[in-house]
């Protein structure tokens, strides 16, 4: 009886841990390189339709990104909303594509990327 209760408790703990992991971890960011950009232009509006006829709008950005050491890479990515001008973003890059992004504050930028972004904006 005790072994059954212990086994059930272990299974529940593993299940709850898995659910918490899936809800809090973006799998698109695991193993990705990080580059930093500043939104300094309007995105190119792209309208597409699904097979069911539903209309989708996204905005495409092509910007110069910099890694933590200041290494430059030209990156193209899409957002499902127009991004705020002058915002800093951390882009997660796998291969040649951007898999995810998130807005960051200027204080969160690595020094190499911060220097390059400041000089690129002038």
């Amino acid at each position: 009886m005790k072994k059954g209760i212990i086994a059930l408790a272990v299974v529940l703990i593993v299940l709850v841990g898995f659910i918490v992991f899936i809800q809090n971890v973006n799998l698109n960011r695991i193993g990705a390189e990080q580059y930093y950009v500043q939104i300094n232009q309007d995105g190119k509006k792209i309208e597409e339709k699904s097979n069911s006829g539903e209309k989708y709008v996204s905005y495409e950005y092509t910007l110069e990104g910099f890694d933590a050491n200041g290494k430059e890479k030209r990156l193209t990515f899409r957002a499902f909303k127009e991004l705020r001008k002058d915002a800093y973003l951390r882009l997660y890059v796998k291969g040649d594509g951007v898999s995810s992004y998130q807005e960051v504050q200027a204080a969160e930028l690595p020094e190499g990327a911060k220097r390059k972004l400041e000089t690129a904006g002038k």
Side-chain angles (χ1 to χ4, degrees):
M1 183 72 169
K2 277 188 173 183
K3 287 183 181 181
I5 292 174
I6 291 172
L8 181 62
V10 168
V11 169
L12 285 175
I13 290 170
V14 169
L15 183 61
V16 168
F18 178 73
I19 291 171
V20 169
F21 174 79
I22 292 298
Q23 288 179 339
N24 294 313
V25 174
N26 186 335
L27 297 176
N28 290 324
R29 296 178 181 179
I30 295 175
E33 295 179 69
Q34 295 179 19
Y35 284 83
Y36 298 85
V37 298
Q38 185 175 22
I39 303 300
N40 55 14
Q41 64 188 31
D42 291 330
K44 177 182 169 189
K45 187 175 182 178
I46 298 174
E47 295 182 11
E48 298 175 315
K49 285 187 180 179
S50 68
N51 291 339
S52 64
E54 192 173 351
K55 183 177 162 182
Y56 294 97
V57 175
S58 62
Y59 296 87
E60 186 174 86
Y61 295 86
T62 299
L63 300 165
E64 299 302 322
F66 303 95
D67 69 6
N69 299 318
K71 179 182 164 196
E72 183 176 344
K73 186 172 188 175
R74 190 160 186 80
L75 300 163
T76 299
F77 65 100
R78 287 190 183 182
F80 291 104
K81 63 179 184 175
E82 213 165 358
L83 299 175
R84 186 174 59 83
K85 280 277 183 101
D86 297 324
Y88 292 104
L89 299 181
R90 177 185 298 130
L91 303 181
Y92 296 88
V93 179
K94 288 185 177 180
D96 288 334
V98 175
S99 61
S100 182
Y101 68 87
Q102 78 180 71
E103 186 171 344
V104 295
Q105 300 302 313
E108 298 176 68
L109 295 172
E111 204 52 46
K114 189 175 193 174
R115 268 189 316 243
K116 293 285 189 166
L117 287 170
E118 286 172 352
T119 59
K122 293 181 182 179

